[in-house]
Amino acid sequence: MGRFFILLFIIIAFCSCREEEKVVYKIGFSQCIVDVWREAMYQEMRRELLFHDDMEIIYRDAGADNAKQIGHIQGMLDEGIDLLIVSPNEPAPISPMIEKVYNMGIPVILLDRKISGEHFNA
């Protein structure tokens, strides 16, 4: 968990260095389910983004539904995300979508759970 927040901080710091034009970076955050721990994670991300007006988070909860989570991630792609943070509901069903995002050159951070394959950044 500590490494995740360090990586998120590095990404935020990197993106914040681009002052010449007003760009808003979109972070997609796909949760498999919601519980107290996962809600706290999301609230911490939102709190950090208060310090960065050049970033926004798009959050979706799949409710333990693989098809719903895949649809959410596709929707985030359609919205033009620059980074995907995802806690996969199950490895096998979500892996092709994660691979698609990764192959598009969008960084992928996995939380808490694995996928089938190595198509992620952290």
Side-chain angles (χ1 to χ4, degrees):
M1 182 85 169
R3 281 198 235 154
F4 163 74
F5 286 109
I6 291 170
L7 182 59
L8 183 60
F9 176 77
I10 290 169
I11 291 168
I12 289 171
F14 172 75
C15 293
S16 297
C17 294
R18 301 182 69 187
E19 296 286 335
E20 60 271 359
E21 59 186 60
K22 184 64 177 173
V23 176
V24 176
Y25 296 94
K26 293 182 181 181
I27 300 169
F29 183 25
S30 175
Q31 275 287 25
C32 54
I33 59 171
V34 172
D35 57 26
V36 174
W37 180 69
R38 292 172 192 285
E39 179 62 27
M41 209 185 311
Y42 174 54
Q43 293 306 324
E44 285 296 319
M45 287 181 196
R46 288 185 58 205
R47 191 172 3 266
E48 181 61 31
L49 289 179
L50 291 173
F51 299 103
H52 305 278
D53 64 353
D54 59 344
M55 295 185 189
E56 66 181 52
I57 193 161
I58 301 167
Y59 174 79
R60 302 288 184 273
D61 161 34
D65 183 322
N66 295 321
K68 192 174 188 180
Q69 188 168 38
I70 291 167
H72 285 164
I73 294 171
Q74 181 60 56
M76 291 176 192
L77 286 175
D78 295 343
E79 291 187 53
I81 58 169
D82 300 293
L83 168 70
L84 176 64
I85 302 170
V86 58
S87 182
N89 188 51
E90 293 181 298
I94 197 78
S95 293
M97 179 54 75
I98 299 296
E99 182 175 350
K100 176 182 176 178
V101 174
Y102 180 85
N103 287 336
M104 292 174 71
I106 298 170
V108 176
I109 299 173
L110 297 180
L111 290 179
D112 186 42
R113 300 176 178 193
K114 297 180 180 182
I115 61 169
S116 303
E118 301 296 320
H119 295 94
F120 59 93
N121 299 89

mmCIF file of all heavy atoms in Angstrom, residues 1-2 10 20 28 32 40 45 48-49 57 65-66 68 73 77 80-81 87 112:
data_model
loop_
_atom_site.group_PDB
_atom_site.id
_atom_site.type_symbol
_atom_site.label_atom_id
_atom_site.label_comp_id
_atom_site.label_asym_id
_atom_site.label_seq_id
_atom_site.Cartn_x
_atom_site.Cartn_y
_atom_site.Cartn_z
ATOM 1 N N MET A 1 0.828 -1.187 0.000
ATOM 2 C CA MET A 1 0.000 0.000 0.000
ATOM 3 C C MET A 1 0.873 1.251 0.000
ATOM 4 O O MET A 1 0.584 2.185 -0.714
ATOM 5 C CB MET A 1 -0.912 -0.039 1.227
ATOM 6 C CG MET A 1 -1.844 1.104 1.301
ATOM 7 S SD MET A 1 -3.311 0.776 0.348
ATOM 8 C CE MET A 1 -4.307 2.089 0.895
ATOM 9 N N GLY A 2 1.976 1.226 0.762
ATOM 10 C CA GLY A 2 2.872 2.374 0.816
ATOM 11 C C GLY A 2 3.507 2.671 -0.527
ATOM 12 O O GLY A 2 3.656 3.822 -0.920
ATOM 13 N N ILE A 10 4.648 10.287 -7.236
ATOM 14 C CA ILE A 10 5.609 10.526 -8.326
ATOM 15 C C ILE A 10 4.872 10.908 -9.600
ATOM 16 O O ILE A 10 5.260 11.837 -10.301
ATOM 17 C CB ILE A 10 6.505 9.297 -8.542
ATOM 18 C CG1 ILE A 10 7.462 9.145 -7.355
ATOM 19 C CG2 ILE A 10 7.294 9.395 -9.852
ATOM 20 C CD1 ILE A 10 8.216 7.827 -7.319
ATOM 21 N N GLU A 20 3.318 24.899 -18.931
ATOM 22 C CA GLU A 20 3.174 25.753 -20.093
ATOM 23 C C GLU A 20 1.763 25.805 -20.653
ATOM 24 O O GLU A 20 1.370 26.792 -21.240
ATOM 25 C CB GLU A 20 4.175 25.377 -21.195
ATOM 26 C CG GLU A 20 4.066 23.954 -21.725
ATOM 27 C CD GLU A 20 4.897 22.943 -20.968
ATOM 28 O OE1 GLU A 20 5.599 23.304 -20.016
ATOM 29 O OE2 GLU A 20 4.821 21.767 -21.322
ATOM 30 N N GLY A 28 -8.310 7.264 -13.993
ATOM 31 C CA GLY A 28 -9.420 6.329 -13.860
ATOM 32 C C GLY A 28 -9.144 5.396 -12.697
ATOM 33 O O GLY A 28 -8.060 4.832 -12.595
ATOM 34 N N CYS A 32 -13.227 -3.059 -7.554
ATOM 35 C CA CYS A 32 -14.018 -4.275 -7.752
ATOM 36 C C CYS A 32 -15.257 -4.272 -6.848
ATOM 37 O O CYS A 32 -16.330 -4.698 -7.265
ATOM 38 C CB CYS A 32 -13.164 -5.508 -7.506
ATOM 39 S SG CYS A 32 -12.331 -5.516 -5.908
ATOM 40 N N ALA A 40 -11.894 4.297 2.038
ATOM 41 C CA ALA A 40 -10.847 5.151 2.614
ATOM 42 C C ALA A 40 -9.758 5.426 1.576
ATOM 43 O O ALA A 40 -9.242 6.549 1.485
ATOM 44 C CB ALA A 40 -10.250 4.487 3.848
ATOM 45 N N MET A 45 -7.250 9.501 -2.086
ATOM 46 C CA MET A 45 -6.896 9.965 -3.428
ATOM 47 C C MET A 45 -7.576 11.302 -3.720
ATOM 48 O O MET A 45 -6.938 12.229 -4.236
ATOM 49 C CB MET A 45 -7.315 8.936 -4.481
ATOM 50 C CG MET A 45 -6.464 7.720 -4.492
ATOM 51 S SD MET A 45 -7.060 6.604 -5.791
ATOM 52 C CE MET A 45 -6.258 5.101 -5.292
ATOM 53 N N GLU A 48 -5.825 14.108 -1.855
ATOM 54 C CA GLU A 48 -4.554 14.495 -2.482
ATOM 55 C C GLU A 48 -4.786 15.333 -3.738
ATOM 56 O O GLU A 48 -4.063 16.296 -4.002
ATOM 57 C CB GLU A 48 -3.733 13.251 -2.821
ATOM 58 C CG GLU A 48 -2.387 13.548 -3.446
ATOM 59 C CD GLU A 48 -1.448 14.357 -2.575
ATOM 60 O OE1 GLU A 48 -1.502 14.234 -1.328
ATOM 61 O OE2 GLU A 48 -0.642 15.129 -3.145
ATOM 62 N N LEU A 49 -5.804 14.992 -4.491
ATOM 63 C CA LEU A 49 -6.064 15.721 -5.732
ATOM 64 C C LEU A 49 -6.563 17.144 -5.486
ATOM 65 O O LEU A 49 -6.539 17.972 -6.402
ATOM 66 C CB LEU A 49 -7.042 14.947 -6.616
ATOM 67 C CG LEU A 49 -6.447 13.685 -7.247
ATOM 68 C CD1 LEU A 49 -7.490 12.974 -8.093
ATOM 69 C CD2 LEU A 49 -5.211 13.985 -8.064
ATOM 70 N N ILE A 57 -10.232 12.709 -10.977
ATOM 71 C CA ILE A 57 -10.370 11.258 -10.852
ATOM 72 C C ILE A 57 -11.766 10.845 -11.315
ATOM 73 O O ILE A 57 -12.756 11.513 -11.030
ATOM 74 C CB ILE A 57 -10.087 10.783 -9.407
ATOM 75 C CG1 ILE A 57 -9.919 9.279 -9.364
ATOM 76 C CG2 ILE A 57 -11.145 11.260 -8.448
ATOM 77 C CD1 ILE A 57 -9.204 8.768 -8.123
ATOM 78 N N ASP A 65 -18.819 -7.399 -10.068
ATOM 79 C CA ASP A 65 -19.332 -7.854 -11.364
ATOM 80 C C ASP A 65 -18.257 -7.624 -12.427
ATOM 81 O O ASP A 65 -17.938 -6.477 -12.764
ATOM 82 C CB ASP A 65 -20.597 -7.070 -11.694
ATOM 83 C CG ASP A 65 -21.265 -7.504 -12.979
ATOM 84 O OD1 ASP A 65 -20.558 -7.828 -13.957
ATOM 85 O OD2 ASP A 65 -22.509 -7.484 -13.010
ATOM 86 N N ASN A 66 -17.708 -8.723 -12.971
ATOM 87 C CA ASN A 66 -16.626 -8.624 -13.958
ATOM 88 C C ASN A 66 -17.038 -7.830 -15.195
ATOM 89 O O ASN A 66 -16.297 -6.960 -15.650
ATOM 90 C CB ASN A 66 -16.163 -10.024 -14.384
ATOM 91 C CG ASN A 66 -15.528 -10.789 -13.255
ATOM 92 O OD1 ASN A 66 -14.791 -10.231 -12.455
ATOM 93 N ND2 ASN A 66 -15.812 -12.072 -13.180
ATOM 94 N N LYS A 68 -19.357 -5.635 -15.551
ATOM 95 C CA LYS A 68 -19.548 -4.228 -15.194
ATOM 96 C C LYS A 68 -18.201 -3.517 -15.088
ATOM 97 O O LYS A 68 -18.043 -2.396 -15.578
ATOM 98 C CB LYS A 68 -20.313 -4.150 -13.876
ATOM 99 C CG LYS A 68 -20.839 -2.796 -13.524
ATOM 100 C CD LYS A 68 -21.703 -2.911 -12.269
ATOM 101 C CE LYS A 68 -22.423 -1.634 -11.948
ATOM 102 N NZ LYS A 68 -23.241 -1.767 -10.735
ATOM 103 N N ILE A 73 -14.182 0.309 -17.282
ATOM 104 C CA ILE A 73 -12.853 0.652 -17.790
ATOM 105 C C ILE A 73 -12.953 1.137 -19.236
ATOM 106 O O ILE A 73 -12.307 2.112 -19.609
ATOM 107 C CB ILE A 73 -11.877 -0.527 -17.637
ATOM 108 C CG1 ILE A 73 -11.647 -0.800 -16.137
ATOM 109 C CG2 ILE A 73 -10.555 -0.232 -18.340
ATOM 110 C CD1 ILE A 73 -10.884 -2.076 -15.835
ATOM 111 N N LEU A 77 -11.790 4.753 -20.750
ATOM 112 C CA LEU A 77 -10.994 4.948 -21.967
ATOM 113 C C LEU A 77 -11.686 5.943 -22.892
ATOM 114 O O LEU A 77 -11.044 6.823 -23.466
ATOM 115 C CB LEU A 77 -10.779 3.623 -22.695
ATOM 116 C CG LEU A 77 -9.786 2.652 -22.087
ATOM 117 C CD1 LEU A 77 -9.779 1.343 -22.863
ATOM 118 C CD2 LEU A 77 -8.391 3.259 -22.028
ATOM 119 N N GLY A 80 -11.051 9.365 -21.999
ATOM 120 C CA GLY A 80 -9.689 9.842 -22.220
ATOM 121 C C GLY A 80 -8.785 9.825 -21.003
ATOM 122 O O GLY A 80 -8.028 10.775 -20.791
ATOM 123 N N ILE A 81 -8.826 8.751 -20.221
ATOM 124 C CA ILE A 81 -7.960 8.685 -19.042
ATOM 125 C C ILE A 81 -6.482 8.661 -19.438
ATOM 126 O O ILE A 81 -6.116 8.181 -20.504
ATOM 127 C CB ILE A 81 -8.287 7.466 -18.144
ATOM 128 C CG1 ILE A 81 -8.153 6.152 -18.902
ATOM 129 C CG2 ILE A 81 -9.645 7.637 -17.488
ATOM 130 C CD1 ILE A 81 -8.210 4.912 -18.023
ATOM 131 N N SER A 87 -8.409 -2.334 -9.124
ATOM 132 C CA SER A 87 -8.409 -3.506 -8.269
ATOM 133 C C SER A 87 -9.309 -4.523 -8.960
ATOM 134 O O SER A 87 -10.540 -4.433 -8.869
ATOM 135 C CB SER A 87 -8.933 -3.166 -6.875
ATOM 136 O OG SER A 87 -8.888 -4.311 -6.054
ATOM 137 N N ASP A 112 -4.103 -4.431 -4.799
ATOM 138 C CA ASP A 112 -4.663 -5.501 -3.989
ATOM 139 C C ASP A 112 -4.772 -6.858 -4.686
ATOM 140 O O ASP A 112 -4.639 -7.873 -4.050
ATOM 141 C CB ASP A 112 -6.046 -5.056 -3.486
ATOM 142 C CG ASP A 112 -6.677 -6.025 -2.509
ATOM 143 O OD1 ASP A 112 -5.947 -6.528 -1.648
ATOM 144 O OD2 ASP A 112 -7.880 -6.270 -2.625
#
